[in-house]
Structures are given as structure tokens and as C-alpha cells.
Amino acid sequence: LNMVPDTTHTPTHVTFRRCNSQDKVDQHTRIQSAFEGDTVTIDCTYQTAYPSPTLFWYQQKDNGNPKHMLNKFSKSGNSEEEFKGRFHANLNKTAVPLTIQDDVCVSDSAVYYCALKPTGGGTQCSYRV
């Protein structure tokens, strides 16, 4: 999400190493702009053979490390304290869009990553962002 278009923050695609050939996450929107005060939704679609995957959202500001925001699994999930309130994600069978509600502001400008962790068979996929 960029409050002003900025081509230095374009990576929003997550690539996975092997766990299952059907595991995949896509973020099709590369740059998204908004006005202060808007509500913003950032899309993330996924595919997995596992019936109960866990999906994660991360925020990376400037040249810092990605920071875990929240995760969703089945009908529940967890949010880090600083992201509770305005940042929400709803998990369905193919997507886990992130919504920044009420009063998006310049300080929300960042790269947002979506990631998948299948939770079947005891194997964890590794991923890189």
C-alpha cells in the first residue's frame, strides 16, 4: 500500500519452495494507492491440497524486515497487538484479503506480504519473500 505511488516498493508476490506442488499464493496487485481516511483491501489468493491451512500477513516498511501482523486458520486467528483494531483478514477457501479499516494513513505505507503454511502431515513449507 502506498499513499503516493512509489515504484521502490513493488514486490507483493511470495514464492514457495516445495512442500506440495499444489501450494501457491498470489498477490496480483503490485502497487495500490489510497487517500488518507480510506478503507483499503489488499487481495491475496491461495491454493493448497491441505484442508486446514494457516495464512499469514506481514508488513515491511522501508528497508526493514517483514513484521508478522496476523494469521488466520479455520474460523479463528491471531493478531499482533499493534495491528489489532484496524487490520483484519477474512479467510475463505481461496483467499485471505487484508483490510485496513477506517482512516488509512501515510504511516501505513509499506509492502504487505501474504504467506501460506499448510498444516497437514507434519511438514512445514518454507517460503521466501
Side-chain angles (χ1 to χ4, degrees):
L1 171 69
N2 292 308
M3 296 306 293
V4 176
D6 179 356
T7 58
T8 63
H9 291 108
T10 58
T12 57
H13 183 77
V14 178
T15 305
F16 290 88
R17 295 184 202 140
R18 285 276 10 83
C19 229
N20 182 314
S21 63
Q22 296 174 351
D23 295 334
K24 182 173 122 178
V25 173
D26 286 305
Q27 290 179 260
H28 299 288
T29 303
R30 298 292 182 194
I31 297 176
Q32 190 166 340
S33 298
F35 292 103
E36 286 190 288
D38 285 352
T39 293
V40 175
T41 299
I42 303 170
D43 293 322
C44 174
T45 59
Y46 71 94
Q47 290 178 228
T48 184
Y50 295 101
S52 300
T54 301
L55 278 291
F56 299 85
W57 275 101
Y58 295 88
Q59 180 191 69
Q60 184 176 13
K61 291 191 174 191
D62 299 321
N63 293 323
N65 293 322
K67 184 186 292 187
H68 175 256
M69 299 174 65
L70 56 88
N71 60 289
K72 287 292 183 177
F73 49 92
S74 297
K75 294 185 191 243
S76 61
N78 298 303
S79 294
E80 297 297 331
E81 195 62 39
E82 71 180 284
F83 296 105
K84 287 182 179 176
R86 293 189 315 119
F87 294 84
H88 303 277
N90 293 314
L91 178 64
N92 65 46
K93 292 185 187 232
T94 60
V96 61
L98 176 70
T99 301
I100 307 172
Q101 292 184 321
D102 304 326
D103 296 331
V104 70
C105 53
V106 173
S107 63
D108 295 324
S109 296
V111 178
Y112 291 86
Y113 295 100
C114 177
L116 165 71
K117 175 186 167 190
T119 54
T123 303
Q124 294 183 8
C125 289
S126 59
Y127 58 89
R128 69 173 187 261
V129 290

